[in-house]
Amino acid sequence: MIKTPTSVHLQKNNIMSTLENAAAVLTLFVQLGTDALPESLSFSDMARRLPLPKSTLSRLLIAMESQELLARDPHNRHYRVGHLLRSLSPPAPQSGPATLAERSAERCWPVFPSGKS
């Protein structure tokens, strides 16, 4: 196929539309941390919340799952954030001397003022 300015423009719009749709799906999962939503969402949950045709949403979810952006529970078929996205975020920091020592790969010894132990 010869790429005319019109076909290139349509392809770019299609790519942007796909990226925007994927971003809209991921935004639902961002809201999981702030809203009273469950940790995972069903296809029906997403279809109700997004202004996408069900066929488009279905193809998008399949593609996002294949790229590990989303993962689907085989038992209830709900979607959750996938391995690829979870691997991008650092582990939640924990407090306390033991975890500080673990993170810095050093030993942590308490220091007491002289005369106290």
Side-chain angles (χ1 to χ4, degrees):
M1 177 175 145
I2 298 173
K3 294 189 180 207
T4 64
T6 305
S7 66
V8 170
H9 178 69
L10 289 175
Q11 287 178 347
K12 285 183 181 178
N13 282 344
N14 188 32
I15 290 169
M16 288 308 296
S17 176
T18 302
L19 289 174
E20 289 166 349
N21 292 343
V25 168
L26 294 175
T27 299
L28 290 177
F29 288 94
V30 170
Q31 292 173 350
L32 290 176
T34 58
D35 291 347
L37 293 173
E39 287 185 16
S40 63
L41 294 168
S42 69
F43 176 84
S44 298
D45 292 334
M46 288 186 265
R48 277 192 299 276
R49 290 178 168 92
L50 297 171
L52 297 173
K54 288 182 181 179
S55 59
T56 301
L57 179 59
S58 177
R59 286 190 304 274
L60 182 62
L61 294 176
I62 289 168
M64 292 177 77
E65 184 181 6
S66 74
Q67 297 301 310
E68 296 186 347
L69 296 171
L70 296 178
R72 188 168 56 172
D73 186 313
H75 301 291
N76 64 14
R77 301 177 55 86
H78 286 202
Y79 291 88
R80 64 183 189 287
V81 173
H83 174 71
L84 181 64
L85 292 178
R86 283 185 282 123
S87 69
L88 291 174
S89 63
Q94 298 176 352
S95 61
T99 57
L100 178 61
E102 290 168 4
R103 285 184 289 178
S104 65
E106 297 176 7
R107 294 191 184 258
C108 187
W109 301 100
V111 176
F112 299 102
S114 60
K116 297 182 181 180
S117 55

